[in-house]
Amino acid sequence: MKERINHLQKEIDLMTASNLDELEALRIKYLSKKGEISLLFNDFRNVPNEDKKEVGQLLNDLKNNAQNKINELKEHFDSLQNTTQENDLTRTAEPIKLGTRHPISLVREEIIDIFSRMGFTVADGPEIEDDWHVFSALNFAPEHPARDMQDTFFIERLPDVLLRTHTSSVQVRVMNEQKPPIRMIFPGRVYRNEAISYRAHCFFHQVEGLYIDKDISFADLKQALLYFAKELFGAETQIRLRPSYFPFTEPSAEMDISCFLCGGEGCPFCKHTGWVEILGCGMVDPNVLRSCGIDPEVYSGYAFGMGVERITNLKFQVKDLRMFSENDVKFLEQFESV
Ligand code: DAH
């Protein structure tokens, strides 16, 4: 028995394997249930009692040595496998780059996010519209210049069909279908027949807002817009409302924010006025409420509309509007995904 143990011990000392399969074969040979060392354990009961202590010790040592040797070799193969992975010449040299979100989408999402915190929900409407939703229901006089071919894309041979020039048309659709209270924003793409240049494009994006309920006042509008401006451009932002005219609101205003580059001091960016214009707004004209089947004696409301490109330009100082639709990767890459 002792001789057999010594013999196996030598074998194990010299044991090598050139791969994991060979190593597994060795483990089976020595350590599995029917392996050589296990068989010796089976024979142990035949060892004379006086030798049991010594042989038992030798047998245990043999088994431990075999197990340690096999573990050692396994570790060696494992580490080898890791290093070959690191040196894999077929792997791509650069990590794969993630795409970026379009700046217009980033800003649109931010606008939606701010208004949803004030309880506004989002609705959508068609880009191909008719005269009534885009103009008539919004109190545009029949001869209003915005209806002119110069500004609006009409569909040939279908004089009543046109591409919407603003998202205010969605107001009309929503007011036709729902009863107040209505507190919604309408993001979407709009079209105008403009010559394309660094400051004008034939399509762009707007977000329209509408809040109709009992007792809605101009003060409510002002508070909502102040909150919006501070959230979007920073807590120190101030707003100012200048009287203006839109057919669908009365009174109407345009909103400026204090220039965030110079803090209102005056700089080339704000043309030394300290203010930059960002949106149009006002109290919904009673004529519009009436066209949409809402009683202006009971309900009032405010509306506002802003250009997403304009706000994106302000936030990221993009100088040329055409960049937004050219899909130049060098431009888009600057807006890393978050
Ligand atoms: N629809 C206007 C435009 O395209 C923007 C606008 C101004 C929307 C005032 C409004 C508003 O809802 O109240 O220029």
Side-chain angles (χ1 to χ4, degrees), residues 25 85 212 292 303:
Q85 249 172 27
I212 309 281
C292 299

Side-chain angles (χ1 to χ4, degrees), residues 140 165-168 171 190 192 204 206-209 246 248-249 252-253 279-283 302-306:
F140 279 79
T165 55
H166 55 181
T167 41
S168 305
Q171 277 191 32
V190 300
R192 284 187 202 172
F204 54 97
Q206 290 186 331
V207 176
E208 178 87 10
F246 300 102
F248 36 89
T249 43
S252 304
L279 55 79
C281 59
M283 300 308 290
Y302 63 71
F304 54 85
M306 64 191 91

Side-chain angles (χ1 to χ4, degrees), residues 81-141:
Q81 213 173 33
N82 288 340
T83 49
T84 44
Q85 249 172 27
E86 271 164 27
N87 297 334
D88 179 357
L89 297 179
T90 62
R91 283 174 66 200
T92 33
E94 294 290 327
I96 294 162
K97 271 205 154 183
L98 278 182
T100 56
R101 300 204 61 204
H102 195 283
I104 296 292
S105 308
L106 289 173
V107 171
R108 185 192 52 214
E109 294 307 313
E110 202 179 342
I111 296 170
I112 292 176
D113 200 54
I114 296 170
F115 282 105
S116 14
R117 277 182 257 140
M118 284 189 266
F120 285 77
T121 53
V122 177
D124 207 356
E127 291 178 14
I128 302 173
E129 266 290 7
D130 52 39
D131 176 278
W132 196 73
H133 288 94
V134 176
F135 298 124
S136 301
L138 288 166
N139 203 32
F140 279 79

Side-chain angles (χ1 to χ4, degrees), residues 128-129 149 152-163:
I128 302 173
E129 266 290 7
M149 298 274 279
T152 307
F153 286 115
F154 289 91
I155 309 288
E156 234 179 341
R157 272 177 273 147
L158 293 171
D160 191 39
V161 182
L162 47 94
L163 296 181

